Amino acid sequence: MKKLTASVFAVVLSSSFVMMSAQNTKDTLKTKNIEEIVVTGALGIKKKADAVTNAQQIVNTKELNQAAAPGAVQALTGKVSGLQITNTNSAVDPSFKIILRGSKSITGNNQALVVIDNVISDATVLNSLPPEIIQSVNVIKGLQGAALYGSQGVNGAIIVTTKRGTKSEKIQVNLTSAVEVSQGFKYPLTQQKYGKGVQDDSYSDADYGGTNYVPWENMSWGAAYDYTGFGGTLVPSGLPQADGSFIYERYSPVKDHFSKFFTNGVSFQNGVSVNAGGSDGYAFMSINRLDNTFVVDGDKMRQNNFLFKAGKKLGKLRIDGQFNYIGRLVNKTDSGIYDDILQMPSSNDIRKYRNSGIGGYLTAYSTNPYWTVEHARYNTNRDYLNGILSLQYEFNKHINISYTGNLNLTTTKQDNWNDGSTGIISYSNTGVPFLDSHTLNQFGSPDVTAYYFNRTYNDRKYYGDLMLNFDYDLTSDLNLKFNIGNNIQDSYYTARTVGGTGLFIPGWYNYNNVSNPSQYGSSDAQADGGYMDNYTTRNRVFAGFANVDLGYKDYLFLNGTFRYEKNSVYTVNSRDPLTNTRLTDNKPYSYYSVGVSFIPTKAFDFGGSVLNYMKIAPSFTKVGNSSGINPYNVNATGIIPTGYPFGPMPSYIMSTSITNPNIRPEFVNTFDLNIALGFLKDRITLEGSVYQSTTQDLISSITPSNASGLSSYRDNIGKSRMKGFEVDLGITPIKTQNITWNLHAGYAMSRTKLLELNSGAERVPILTYTTPSVGLAAVVGENFYSIVGTTYQRDPNGNIIVNANGVPLVNSATKVLGSLNPDYTMTFNTSFRFKAFTLSAVADYRKGGKFVSFSKRLLAFTGALEETASQDRTQGYVVPGSVQLVNGSYVPNTTPAYGDDYNGATTYWSGSIYRNVGENLVVDATAFKVREIAISYDVPKSVLNSTFVNSLSLSLYARNPIIVYSKDNRNFADPETASSNDNAAGIALTTQYPTTRTFGFKINATF
């Protein structure tokens, strides 16, 4: 189309634009014009990249597969600016939380919507997909692009398109195989000056500078390793073995002693895909198998994935079908073993106690992890079936009607058991008179509870879209595309649990063998860490929607969306007091968006070739978030309380946790301003987005007065605002026939501030611990989410104030100790191709943010924390830089806390004054990670010409080969771990394993 002439534009905006390749370039390599690029967005609606009015970023199949990640979520990590992926389960079967642009809701769901082949799914299914069957992933960061999904798209969307058969009539077969080795990485750093022991002369009255050596201690409050006459000598260690003898170890530090328990995990990935097609049909089939053994010996996962897709055009009717099966078997132990490992003094080599059981372990105060691995198992069998049928009938070249129906069934079965052990293990003939009169439980070692629990979860979901689609050229310059349709979703979920503690017959794992069945309806965590889940829920969503796209002369585009949605979670069932008839009220809500895309470089003659592309795309979106309300919340429901009316007698009462029947969704109003610039025929691209989202009617629970008789009341309680921006820079410094070098860097920053609470309260608690005094909360005037906890009293210069005995004074009220959110994140991607060799790398950096480390707390208790050895323990411990208030003035403190001897130092670190003060457990979350490094070799076609192989690629790769934490984080935990899938991120418990790194080899062949 003819361009308009005008003067030079000066534009200072920001945007999200996906640079696919140069346009009209004369580079040696063939490129694709930007106007030819087609992007799949919400509800499968395809648009030219120019017409996209929201912020998004595309990750193609090559980027996803360059380091052979076993799951698609892992493959996305570090490749999209503004995308945060948190590992919520670091075991053999990892799970992840996906957040785009930070959190908008206090208690609702903040995770991005996952859509696979135009059907709503979830992160678990996404990470079960082998990346090799995925064609592309469109990460929609701007809400305007996800508004057609209504309340489910309020946090952005991950649009996944799997591969389909080609138009070639020749059958093509692709084989992939990868083998890799994983190893534990980044174990906590510990002090290497003092070894096992404590102030206790029950084993021996030998004094080593004010402390004693006790073989069965888990404490590192013993003699210095260089103590004359003791350091370096062979000493009895641990509890006596079955024959009464001791294991002897040298009293000196074992290098990387935590790592000795972990082994190398081995993983095999194998896949075969077959595709074929023609001008009017296609077929694609993929079979994949993943066998993964973990760094914890005995933990393993086996996963099978089968995908079949086919389509055929019959005249004006097009039929597409898809069937996907994912079967996953997981066998793992209790992740609480890591807590036991962290208690181990550095003088112990845990491998010596592999066959010692509980009674002969290296300490009496924790359970032998080798025993746990053998006797406590968590077995999960998950089957996922997904079927999609799509029909499209073309009335004429302008009008067609389409229907997409999806049914997926997920069944998860768990068998969790522990053989249990009694602490009444007597010792005799040990040669130690003190021991011969004791049993294990007299040391304070508790029994290990035997249990068996069986859980079955069934999830049935139906998803259907009916759309009438129009495409008209209204004039020679104006095009109209219009979609109107209906969406139906029906989710049915059941959970059933049986089990309890105690086994009549050891080794028989069956409910009939449980001696103490757990009570139905109990809301308390059971012995295996799970709950007595026995319930059925159903949730339905009905919506009508419309989408309109106007295009003017290929340089000006308008998109508008509207969705009218009814969600069953708002259905209030009641009865008319006069007629006793049932009354039902279901409140519908409307959501809408509008966006504009303007391409100045197509509208005006800029002259020259320096600036070859410019795109400006502002948008506004209003959507709601209903995730803070669960099915039946707005209706009075009954519960079976524990201990009411008394003892184990069951009863039935109305729940004391209620929700306002008139509760509304959390409405989110978002403004986006977007820009994309291409220079030198797209050899340099600059992309970005600046946005602001205001969330009104935040949903959360409050604790009402005791006089109300309620334990909690859920309602719309406040308002928040999110602000942020993203910038992406792409550079291609070299692009010739033999050499191509691409560089990409992204920068993202997001802040969500709680503006107000209707009740006038200061904060909304998210997670609270009493020991230690720390937790998470949304605090008025602060960013989501804040770490809150107790602090030391300090003088005007920030020095810790201590009392006359040198003990720090603690403030009774909790304060904000930091935010979970990083100050900013950066991503780095590069690929360098030289002839048949390609070197690629992915890295990212997160600056700032905080997390709470329970590992640090545990290490302080045992005396392994580095700071515990920063002073001579025999002289006690003086709090560094502390002051005392003397005669109205603060003077430097020289008094050791709790005394000027070894016992004083032990008491300070092992007691409550350090470990239970919140500020001591807060750690800087800054981290730099090299996510992937891969080098691949494509065998030249000249070598393959005489074979039946069309292409052959060989790759060496590493995932997480380099990780650098902040100086504050002494490998306590990965800042990106979380202890749950909800909003309580930033709490690193001792049940999260250390980070692993992986090295592997992959072969990819096409026939």
Side-chain angles (χ1 to χ4, degrees), residues 285-355:
M285 182 180 70
S286 172
I287 302 174
N288 295 83
R289 171 71 172 260
L290 170 64
D291 289 279
N292 183 21
T293 61
F294 193 48
V295 294
V296 174
D297 195 18
D299 286 15
K300 55 188 177 182
M301 179 182 73
R302 185 177 72 223
Q303 180 174 287
N304 296 304
N305 189 299
F306 175 80
L307 174 67
F308 178 75
K309 301 175 69 173
K312 180 71 174 178
K313 188 171 184 180
L314 305 171
K316 293 186 176 183
L317 176 65
R318 179 170 189 86
I319 304 175
D320 294 272
Q322 175 177 323
F323 175 80
N324 187 204
Y325 167 76
I326 301 172
R328 172 182 281 195
L329 293 173
V330 177
N331 185 343
K332 63 182 181 180
T333 191
D334 188 341
S335 61
I337 63 171
Y338 191 49
D339 185 278
D340 292 324
I341 293 168
L342 290 177
Q343 298 180 43
M344 178 175 55
S346 59
S347 58
N348 287 130
D349 185 339
I350 195 172
R351 294 171 295 185
K352 295 179 181 290
Y353 304 87
R354 179 183 295 271
N355 301 311

Side-chain angles (χ1 to χ4, degrees), residues 100 217 222 388 403 420 450 480 503 644 731 737 780 842 847 938 944 955:
L100 279 168
E217 269 294 341
I388 301 174
Y403 176 78
L480 167 68
L503 300 177
Y644 179 85
I731 302 176
Q737 188 67 38
V780 174
V842 177
K847 175 66 172 66
D938 296 322
L944 303 175
S955 303

